[in-house]
Amino acid sequence: AGLSGSIKSFCDHGILSRRNPEKEIAPHDLMQLKNEVGRAIIPPGQSIIFMQPLDFMVDGLADIRDAIGMTGARLEADFQLITAEEKAIENVKQCTRNTGTKDCQVLPVPVASGEAVLSDDEKEEGVVAVDIGASTTSIIIYKNQLIRHVEVIPIGGNSITEDIRQWASLNFQSAELLKMQFGSACEPERDEHIQVSFFNGKKSKLISRRGLTFVIQARVEELLAMIAASIQTTGLAKQLPFGVVLTGGTARLPGIRDLGEKLTGLLFHIGTPEMFLSKKTLQNDQFKVLHSPVYSAAIGLLKMGLSNN
């Protein structure tokens, strides 16, 4: 199961003094090192749901990707930690219990989305995966195969729908349908009026397509500015040759890719989980729906869950 809304990202440095420095470093040494990380910096009420070692250091020798098999007295590493509120974790676990499933592993949605849509080459050279979900937008940056930054912004596709609802005086369901059918992040060449039915089809009204785009574009520009600011804080903006991979339901919004490139100066493209689906699945009409960026997080969670078992 995945969490996004309550997660936070931290970096911590772990140190392990080894009793037998002439003995090769083994997986249990790394596990012991991990157990010491995060205790001093994780706030009360938060628990670690994901941990990734970054570069290792052995007896002062730095920039080591894999320390297993080396020898030394002092093993160190920087760690990327992702935490979530303990109450949120328990709520997710209780939901799975209510379905008759045993306790599940809770994983961060940003990592799952990245696993679903990013290639190893992208992770190595430098890339940002942005999953625009219903209520949140998650950002994860990879460089040298490692997670360098994680952030969750409390704005998503529902924020756009709510703006449309207020502007057009519609109910939420009608505003969502209007967004899905006629929404765009780029202004149309000419204006036209759309007849929109609402309140179970008993009433209708005319909506300006140009006005609709103006409302959508304003919210999307705000979100893109926040994404760009998040990337800038890392100092990695010029080290991301693969740019930004957009996924999630709102990635289907026409014009969002072009607007993203215009506002950020980075390359944008839409990411789908196709690379992790079997040829048999891709060829089956029944599963064509899974090609959509809507299902990236779900497929990423499944992939991570299977790899952890």
Side-chain angles (χ1 to χ4, degrees):
L3 269 177
S4 60
S6 70
I7 70 172
K8 295 182 179 180
S9 176
F10 301 89
C11 285
D12 197 14
H13 185 79
I15 301 173
L16 175 66
S17 296
R18 304 181 67 234
R19 294 181 179 180
N20 300 311
E22 295 181 359
K23 190 175 181 179
E24 289 186 355
I25 295 171
H28 67 82
D29 292 303
L30 302 187
M31 185 59 66
Q32 189 176 347
L33 179 63
K34 288 180 179 180
N35 290 339
E36 299 300 320
V37 172
R39 293 184 178 182
I41 66 169
I42 303 303
Q46 295 268 327
S47 290
I48 297 172
I49 59 172
F50 181 83
M51 176 186 295
Q52 181 187 70
L54 303 176
D55 297 329
F56 289 94
M57 182 184 294
V58 179
D59 288 349
L61 181 63
D63 298 326
I64 299 169
R65 285 203 181 185
D66 187 358
I68 290 180
M70 299 182 68
T71 59
R74 185 180 174 93
L75 174 63
E76 302 176 59
D78 291 320
F79 284 84
Q80 183 77 49
L81 311 176
I82 300 177
T83 69
E85 293 179 4
E86 292 173 353
K87 290 182 179 179
I89 295 171
E90 181 54 33
N91 284 338
V92 169
K93 289 185 175 182
Q94 185 59 48
C95 287
T96 62
R97 295 189 200 106
N98 291 342
T99 66
T101 306
K102 294 181 180 179
D103 270 359
C104 65
Q105 182 182 10
V106 178
L107 297 166
V109 166
V111 179
S113 297
E115 286 299 306
V117 301
L118 299 179
S119 67
D120 287 341
D121 285 344
E122 288 172 323
K123 292 178 184 178
E124 178 66 31
E125 298 300 326
V127 69
V128 187
V130 175
D131 186 331
I132 308 177
S135 57
T136 61
T137 294
S138 63
I139 303 166
I140 186 164
I141 299 179
Y142 283 87
K143 183 72 177 178
N144 298 328
Q145 294 285 344
L146 298 170
I147 297 169
R148 301 297 181 178
H149 177 70
V150 178
E151 186 173 350
V152 176
I153 297 171
I155 295 176
N158 286 352
S159 302
I160 300 172
T161 304
E162 179 61 22
D163 290 345
I164 296 170
R165 186 194 69 78
Q166 294 186 25
W167 168 74
S169 298
L170 298 170
N171 59 31
F172 191 88
Q173 184 179 0
S174 298
E176 178 70 16
L177 186 61
L178 180 62
K179 180 184 74 174
M180 296 295 293
Q181 290 184 336
F182 302 102
S184 175
C186 289
E187 186 176 343
E189 293 182 1
R190 61 182 181 84
D191 197 10
E192 61 179 322
H193 286 82
I194 308 159
Q195 187 163 351
V196 181
S197 297
F198 61 104
F199 294 124
N200 297 323
K202 295 180 180 179
K203 293 184 179 181
S204 64
K205 61 165 52 179
L206 290 178
I207 299 293
S208 163
R209 190 160 193 169
R210 182 163 288 169
L212 174 64
T213 301
F214 179 81
V215 171
I216 293 173
Q217 192 177 71
R219 180 64 76 172
V220 172
E221 286 181 351
E222 177 193 18
L223 178 57
L224 289 169
M226 296 173 77
I227 292 168
S230 179
I231 295 170
Q232 288 292 336
T233 61
T234 67
L236 294 171
K238 296 182 179 180
Q239 302 177 48
L240 304 169
F242 283 97
V244 176
V245 178
L246 278 180
T247 195
T250 304
R252 298 175 298 171
L253 183 69
I256 191 170
R257 182 178 65 84
D258 294 336
L259 186 60
E261 291 185 345
K262 178 182 176 181
L263 294 180
T264 68
L266 294 169
L267 293 174
F268 270 64
H269 72 268
I270 308 304
T272 64
E274 291 184 25
M275 71 176 78
F276 297 109
L277 298 174
S278 68
K279 290 183 179 179
K280 184 177 180 180
T281 301
L282 292 172
Q283 293 169 356
N284 190 324
D285 290 341
Q286 184 179 354
F287 297 109
K288 278 187 177 180
V289 66
L290 298 178
H291 301 188
S292 169
V294 174
Y295 298 100
S296 295
I299 291 176
L301 287 167
L302 180 61
K303 177 176 179 284
M304 291 178 70
L306 291 173
S307 65
N308 290 339
N309 290 331

